[in-house]
Amino acid sequence: MAHSLKLIAAAAAALLALSPLALRAQAAKPALYTADQATAGVTVYTQACAACHGAALEGVSAPALKGAAFGEMATAQNLTVDSLLDVIASSMPQSDPGSLKPEEVGAVTAYILQQNSYPAGTAALARGGAGLKDVKVTP
Ligand code: HEC
């Protein structure tokens, strides 16, 4: 009896110790842009994107760029951070495609990632960056 109680206590302790780690692993999104980029991206977004996609990325005449609807679109298109950068660089703003400078593409994409709970890090986001094809975009 004492033995099995000890086992139960040990198992409970192990579970308690493990669960925060497991939760963190599940929620972890990679850090792909700098905080400065996301800040610069607010300006780009407000000037070049908000009229169609909404001030809070909620979608107006154009689709939402965060939240569940964005997630569905991203899944349907198998959207990665690499293809997100490409689509923005080559087809947005829809009213003037290709008009953004490369640093504006990086900044506005950083802002969209930030709004979808990706953390800021130390390396700047740029089109064609290594490994970005392997990172799926999720809300
Ligand atoms: C004149 C309106 C308009 C503006 C301005 C605009 N968009 Fe869009 N955008 C659209 C429409 C409409 C769609 C959906 C149709 C499509 O995919 O072409 C879209 C789709 C998108 C998509 C999803 C693309 C896909 O693969 O389906 C992204 C990402 C996006 N826009 C980002 C941006 C960003 C970033 C900006 C600002 C630099 C911007 N858009 C400015 C109208 C606009």
Side-chain angles (χ1 to χ4, degrees):
M1 183 64 181
H3 184 67
S4 61
L5 273 180
K6 240 185 253 171
L7 271 181
I8 289 168
L15 271 179
L16 279 176
L18 273 175
S19 54
L21 261 185
L23 283 175
R24 234 176 292 152
Q26 209 173 31
K29 288 183 172 185
L32 302 169
Y33 63 87
T34 65
D36 283 353
Q37 279 187 303
T39 304
V42 178
T43 309
V44 179
Y45 184 84
T46 305
Q47 289 171 357
C49 323
C52 298
H53 289 278
L57 294 79
E58 76 279 21
V60 185
S61 58
L65 296 176
K66 73 172 184 188
F70 179 57
E72 276 167 36
M73 185 201 76
T75 305
Q77 298 186 350
N78 212 3
L79 195 69
T80 65
V81 174
D82 187 71
S83 55
L84 180 63
L85 283 159
D86 279 352
V87 113
I88 291 172
S90 56
S91 66
M92 291 294 141
Q94 204 186 46
S95 40
D96 193 6
S99 61
L100 297 179
K101 298 188 191 97
E103 62 269 26
E104 291 174 328
V105 172
V108 80
T109 308
Y111 175 60
I112 293 169
L113 291 176
Q114 182 199 54
Q115 291 297 303
N116 285 282
S117 307
Y118 288 75
T122 51
L125 180 70
R127 207 177 166 195
L132 299 180
K133 281 189 171 75
D134 301 324
V135 186
K136 291 240 169 10
V137 176
T138 58

